[in-house]
Amino acid sequence: MYTFRKAVTSLVPIWVTVFLSLAFAQKGMSTEYTRNSRPPMLNYAELVTLSEQDPIDSTLAEKLQTLLTTPFVNNEAFHRGAKPIRQVCRQKNPCLRLIAWNIERGLQLDEIKLAFTNKSGFLSNAIPKSSAEKDAPQVSAVSADREKLGAQIDILQSADLIVLNEVDWGMKRTEYRAVVKELGDALNMNWAYGVEFVEVDPKVLGRQSFADVKDEVKRKELEELFSVDQNRVLGLHGSAILSRYPIREAKLLPFKYQAYDWYKGEKGYGTTESTKRKGASLAFGEEILREVRRGGRTNLIATLDVPDLPEGKLTVVAAHLENRTTPSGRRKEAEELLELLRPISNPVVVAGDMNTTGKDGSVSDIKSLAKKKAMDPQFWTTKGIKYATGVGIGMDIASFAFKSTKFQADPTTSGVPFLAANPEKGFFEYLDDFRFDDGTRVDFRGDAELSVSGRRGTLGNSNERAGKGFVTTFALPRTLGAKGKFKLDWIFVKGYLEQDTNIPESYRFAPTFARTMNELNGALEEPLSDHAPISVDLPLSQPGPLKTLARGAK
């Protein structure tokens, strides 16, 4: 039916929507998909109030709560006749290809759109890398392996589902752009967006004081750097799901357990802490590092109509766990999320930045290490908007706080009791032990036959493994060798697996041939993000035996 519809719609485009509607109707699904909806936005005066007043009046509090619990939903692509690619994977079976990517706010949005839409244009902009640079974080020898880069672009462009973290809407650092909307329009995909934080730091709102900067030229540069257009700034930052399948419904559910208070905690960091110290330049630096935000970590959960699946639908979660907490804090968030998902009987994909550093990322641990750069106002004029919120420099500084590299590439490993315990182990043990109400589980399998690298190991089917641990997805700037490289981004899949078994029936919608695209991310002069995109293929039909599944692997 699907192939027939594809052939007909290619000849008679006007019937695209009709044929899609019939296909979904056969599965008993509604075709009354929301065209475009979003909660009311905050104006500049309200953002200032959220920045300066606590508590706030009930009217504004209700408006903020609505923004933090109501997803943006857009199915215009479906109504334009868009349909899934349904990439052909193994045994000529169709599969759903998923991409997960923390895009660092969309600072390189034009380049990211180029990678998704124009292969030759992106390749023409790729810069050759000298052999001396091959080991630098996020950088690969593009000139020596353009075929691999081209293959990664093909993977990116053939995705039917994209999960994004750190997505801006109405922020100066990303030119006030609606990042997810631009990507949805460029890729002709349906999308949902969930606000994680409303950014209300004085520097984000153009209200940062630079009176402590005595050099007039530097002070004016900083004032210009942090000035904003009050009519365009919206202060939104969150996660997004883009899909070639229509979005039946979407939910935005903030964690009840918030591991860090980004409003009170950051207010204390930038004011209370700075008053304890002497030196105007240090106080100034702490204010730059500070990120005052309203909101907290949240779960964007979308239900997609996928006719190929027996239940006709797929649940997708864009996850972003807290970085400014301990590993145990992240585990509590994971436990809460899985409890939300426990009753779901159809397939589920949870993807995103889990911040599995293995370390305590609390603000107090990095303050003393921030002094040198925080005391230099000139640093901020040279780094520009990318570091305007403090996260870039904060993560850079944090690289010196990691005393162990053992678990950076493999947070799932057991460690050595009493000598080198793995702080993240509990997170993965809970995921592995968890069972949904229908008896299924998160697929932890790692078959050599279903790995692009031919390696076995825990979660190897859903996340690409390297010689030791996993291929890392995040690299801190200005670090050497393995230090500062981490496996932070993950894809977890609930298909039809009830127990660990290699029988063919357990591989329908099971993750296969996961990839980490560091080469693509570092192909241009400026990396597309500080995280690399990752992908996985999910078979939509019943696969054959495991050995035949692996035939023709690319």
Side-chain angles (χ1 to χ4, degrees):
M1 171 61 73
Y2 212 110
T3 303
F4 174 74
R5 186 181 73 233
K6 182 176 181 181
V8 173
T9 53
S10 66
L11 294 173
V12 191
I14 193 171
W15 290 104
V16 168
T17 303
V18 175
F19 274 86
L20 281 172
S21 299
L22 289 173
F24 288 116
Q26 289 176 353
K27 289 289 184 178
M29 303 174 188
S30 170
T31 56
E32 296 299 321
Y33 302 112
T34 300
R35 279 186 175 269
N36 187 27
S37 68
R38 69 182 189 184
M41 300 290 205
L42 297 162
N43 60 39
Y44 183 75
E46 290 170 327
L47 292 172
V48 172
T49 300
L50 289 171
S51 175
E52 298 178 350
Q53 295 183 18
D54 189 41
I56 55 177
D57 68 70
S58 59
T59 301
L60 182 55
E62 183 178 351
K63 187 173 182 179
L64 174 63
Q65 181 66 8
T66 298
L67 187 59
L68 295 173
T69 56
T70 307
F72 297 56
V73 179
N74 187 295
N75 278 301
E76 291 287 2
F78 170 80
H79 289 285
R80 290 192 297 266
K83 54 187 181 294
I85 295 173
R86 297 172 81 251
Q87 180 71 22
V88 176
C89 298
R90 305 296 177 261
Q91 301 177 314
K92 297 183 179 180
N93 285 341
C95 72
L96 188 157
R97 179 162 286 167
L98 178 147
I99 301 289
W101 197 358
N102 179 324
I103 60 169
E104 197 184 3
R105 299 159 179 77
L107 293 167
Q108 302 296 322
L109 179 57
D110 290 331
E111 290 76 13
I112 289 172
K113 287 200 294 186
L114 190 69
F116 271 112
T117 60
N118 187 340
K119 180 178 180 179
S120 61
F122 188 89
L123 286 173
S124 67
N125 290 338
I127 58 172
K129 306 295 193 302
S130 69
S131 59
E133 294 176 301
K134 290 181 183 179
D135 294 329
Q138 301 287 347
V139 173
S140 302
V142 175
S143 60
D145 198 358
R146 293 182 71 85
E147 182 178 350
K148 184 174 184 179
L149 176 59
Q152 291 184 359
I153 296 172
D154 290 338
I155 292 166
L156 203 70
Q157 295 185 356
S158 60
D160 279 326
L161 180 58
I162 303 169
V163 176
L164 302 177
N165 296 130
E166 293 197 14
V167 183
D168 275 0
W169 189 312
M171 297 289 297
K172 180 180 178 178
R173 64 195 176 201
T174 43
E175 301 175 327
Y176 307 104
R177 300 163 82 172
V179 173
V180 62
K181 182 181 183 303
E182 284 198 33
L183 283 171
D185 289 344
L187 277 60
N188 196 28
M189 296 180 79
N190 309 298
W191 54 268
Y193 178 68
V195 177
E196 185 174 41
F197 296 111
V198 178
E199 306 279 1
V200 294
D201 195 281
K203 63 182 173 291
V204 170
L205 300 180
R207 299 172 67 84
Q208 178 72 44
S209 172
F210 300 105
D212 291 331
V213 181
K214 303 305 180 184
D215 186 304
E216 184 177 355
V217 174
K218 289 183 179 179
R219 184 170 64 253
K220 289 183 177 179
E221 288 177 345
L222 287 166
E223 288 173 348
E224 175 61 26
L225 177 65
F226 290 99
S227 65
V228 300
D229 185 338
Q230 297 181 11
N231 294 318
R232 300 173 67 194
V233 63
L234 297 171
L236 306 184
H237 182 71
S239 295
I241 296 170
L242 296 98
S243 169
R244 299 190 195 280
Y245 293 94
I247 300 171
R248 176 188 293 189
E249 64 174 347
K251 299 178 182 178
L252 186 58
L253 304 175
F255 283 108
K256 294 178 181 178
Y257 170 76
Q258 291 291 335
Y260 181 66
D261 188 327
W262 282 84
Y263 185 78
K264 294 180 179 179
E266 294 295 286
K267 281 276 192 178
Y269 176 29
T271 55
T272 304
E273 283 297 326
S274 63
T275 60
K276 296 178 182 178
R277 304 181 181 211
K278 295 181 180 180
S281 59
L282 179 56
F284 160 76
E286 285 194 337
E287 289 173 353
I288 298 296
L289 287 170
R290 177 198 63 212
E291 288 184 276
V292 179
R293 298 161 146 180
R294 294 280 189 170
R297 300 301 180 183
T298 192
N299 301 290
L300 177 62
I301 305 175
T303 301
L304 312 180
D305 276 344
V306 181
D308 298 275
L309 295 175
E311 305 82 358
K313 59 184 179 179
L314 167 67
T315 300
V316 184
V317 184
H320 193 178
L321 303 187
E322 187 58 71
N323 62 315
R324 293 194 175 179
T325 188
T326 61
S328 62
R330 286 185 285 274
R331 174 176 173 171
K332 288 180 181 179
E333 291 178 335
E335 291 175 359
E336 183 178 335
L337 172 57
L338 286 179
E339 286 301 323
L340 285 173
L341 303 176
R342 184 187 290 276
I344 298 176
S345 58
N346 55 266
V348 177
V349 177
V350 178
D353 182 357
M354 309 299 172
N355 275 308
T356 47
T357 62
K359 294 294 180 180
D360 183 350
S362 301
V363 172
S364 59
D365 284 356
I366 69 171
K367 280 188 287 191
S368 61
L369 298 169
K371 290 181 181 179
K372 289 185 179 180
K373 288 177 180 177
M375 290 174 66
D376 179 12
Q378 182 60 34
F379 173 81
W380 302 102
T381 65
T382 58
K383 288 300 177 187
I385 294 300
K386 182 173 181 178
Y387 280 59
T389 62
V391 171
I393 181 61
M395 291 306 296
D396 188 12
I397 293 165
S399 66
F400 298 99
F402 296 119
K403 299 177 181 179
S404 170
T405 61
K406 178 174 176 58
F407 309 118
Q408 290 180 4
D410 192 356
T412 70
T413 191
S414 297
V416 181
F418 306 111
L419 294 177
N422 179 3
E424 299 287 0
K425 182 63 175 175
F427 174 89
F428 291 95
E429 286 180 337
Y430 181 79
L431 285 174
D432 195 14
D433 293 339
F434 184 84
R435 296 296 182 271
F436 294 85
D437 285 346
D438 64 358
T440 59
R441 56 174 298 172
V442 174
D443 198 327
F444 264 59
R445 288 175 294 186
D447 303 299
E449 298 90 341
L450 301 181
S451 165
V452 295
S453 59
R455 293 186 172 92
R456 300 181 184 275
T458 301
L459 289 165
N461 291 1
S462 50
N463 299 271
E464 185 180 358
R465 295 194 70 93
K468 294 182 179 180
F470 294 87
V471 177
T472 54
T473 62
F474 174 83
L476 294 161
R478 290 179 296 283
T479 54
L480 300 176
K483 295 181 180 179
K485 289 186 175 182
F486 296 87
K487 171 62 174 172
L488 302 185
D489 306 274
W490 297 86
I491 297 171
F492 301 122
V493 180
K494 167 201 181 299
Y496 300 98
L497 176 67
E498 295 186 10
Q499 59 184 354
D500 285 331
T501 174
N502 286 330
I503 62 173
E505 288 76 12
S506 69
Y507 282 90
R508 184 172 192 171
F509 210 76
T512 60
F513 302 104
R515 295 170 174 84
T516 302
M517 290 169 271
N518 280 303
E519 291 79 9
L520 183 146
N521 194 56
L524 306 185
E525 186 173 358
E526 184 75 14
L528 301 180
S529 172
D530 53 2
H531 293 247
I534 58 178
S535 72
V536 71
D537 292 343
L538 301 161
L540 290 168
S541 60
Q542 182 64 43
L546 185 61
K547 290 183 178 180
T548 60
L549 257 179
R551 290 175 185 171
K554 296 180 181 178

